Amino acid sequence: LATAAARWGVDSTDGKLVVGLALGEIIADEIHVLHNSQTRDLAVLRLNADGSADPGFDGDGRVGMDVPGIAATTSAVLQQSDGKLLAAGAAITTGATAIRGVALARYNIDGSPDGNFGSGGTAFLQIAGLAVDHLVAIVQQPDGRLVIAGTSLGGCAGCWGDGDTTITPDLVFLARLNTNGSLDSSFGSNGIYREDLHGLRGPDRLH
């Protein structure tokens, strides 16, 4: 039985603490449990300086978003220079063919979805075929563009039951997004840089 855990936190400029909630294995997606709902992904908790939940953030200090067709859990959270909050983490599609990637959600200062980001406030990136992606970090450049970094664990795509026996290598990746959540085509290959780890494991991966 998995349990909810705080995976990433940032201090905001007003003394409040923002925490991204990684809620168990992505398949279990225990965001359901925290919110008593099966439609909340990429959860964020905002606390006042005294540790109490901030009622100015979605009413109870915590928020999650329904990402259509995706199950996702938070592994990194960023407060942008404009005060908006970006939550990101590993994700998997819930259709007949499971595709793993990275999902992102951006929230306004009051916890509402930012409709100017992605589709309804969310975006999904497929990094390396059907590999298992782990998001390590997300940063904002001075010009507002976003860079995410992580690892993609290679293996047999057929393990997910779709019959595809293609073997993919272990990779580290960087992806750069425009301020609206779209991939920046001027970076890497269509917005994504990939590097084969050539069999490196454990501590040799990106941290």
Side-chain angles (χ1 to χ4, degrees), residues 105-120:
R106 192 163 70 190
Y107 303 100
N108 294 311
I109 296 174
D110 62 1
S112 61
D114 179 7
N116 294 318
F117 183 81
S119 176

Side-chain angles (χ1 to χ4, degrees), residues 79-164:
Q79 183 173 36
Q80 296 187 168
S81 57
D82 60 3
K84 294 179 181 181
L85 297 176
L86 188 69
I92 186 170
T93 60
T94 56
T97 301
I99 300 174
R100 288 183 174 257
V102 173
L104 305 96
R106 192 163 70 190
Y107 303 100
N108 294 311
I109 296 174
D110 62 1
S112 61
D114 179 7
N116 294 318
F117 183 81
S119 176
T122 66
F124 176 75
L125 306 177
Q126 186 180 353
I127 302 298
L130 300 183
V132 180
D133 295 305
H134 174 64
L135 187 70
V136 176
I138 182 166
V139 296
Q140 185 181 34
Q141 296 184 169
D143 63 3
R145 287 183 291 187
L146 304 162
V147 178
I148 62 175
T151 58
S152 178
L153 310 185
C156 174
C159 296
W160 298 106
D162 67 352
D164 185 351

Side-chain angles (χ1 to χ4, degrees), residues 18-206:
V18 179
V19 180
L21 298 177
L23 301 159
E25 295 297 327
I26 194 170
I27 299 300
D29 190 18
E30 290 214 351
I31 292 170
H32 310 167
V33 177
L34 178 67
H35 292 278
N36 192 28
S37 169
Q38 294 189 5
T39 60
R40 299 297 182 99
D41 299 303
L42 298 170
V44 175
L45 172 68
R46 193 168 76 187
L47 304 175
N48 293 313
D50 63 0
S52 60
D54 179 8
F57 189 67
D58 201 47
D60 62 358
R62 63 185 184 183
V63 68
M65 194 182 298
D66 177 19
V67 186
I70 299 290
T73 189
T74 308
S75 59
V77 62
L78 169 74
Q79 183 173 36
Q80 296 187 168
S81 57
D82 60 3
K84 294 179 181 181
L85 297 176
L86 188 69
I92 186 170
T93 60
T94 56
T97 301
I99 300 174
R100 288 183 174 257
V102 173
L104 305 96
R106 192 163 70 190
Y107 303 100
N108 294 311
I109 296 174
D110 62 1
S112 61
D114 179 7
N116 294 318
F117 183 81
S119 176
T122 66
F124 176 75
L125 306 177
Q126 186 180 353
I127 302 298
L130 300 183
V132 180
D133 295 305
H134 174 64
L135 187 70
V136 176
I138 182 166
V139 296
Q140 185 181 34
Q141 296 184 169
D143 63 3
R145 287 183 291 187
L146 304 162
V147 178
I148 62 175
T151 58
S152 178
L153 310 185
C156 174
C159 296
W160 298 106
D162 67 352
D164 185 351
T165 58
T166 303
I167 302 298
T168 56
D170 286 2
L171 304 171
V172 294
F173 67 85
L174 295 173
R176 189 163 72 187
L177 285 71
N178 296 308
T179 56
N180 65 359
S182 62
L183 283 169
D184 177 7
S185 60
S186 69
F187 178 81
S189 176
N190 295 318
I192 299 172
Y193 169 79
R194 303 173 178 86
E195 180 67 30
D196 190 340
L197 288 179
H198 301 290
L200 298 179
R201 295 281 180 173
D204 298 307
R205 290 202 188 107
L206 182 65

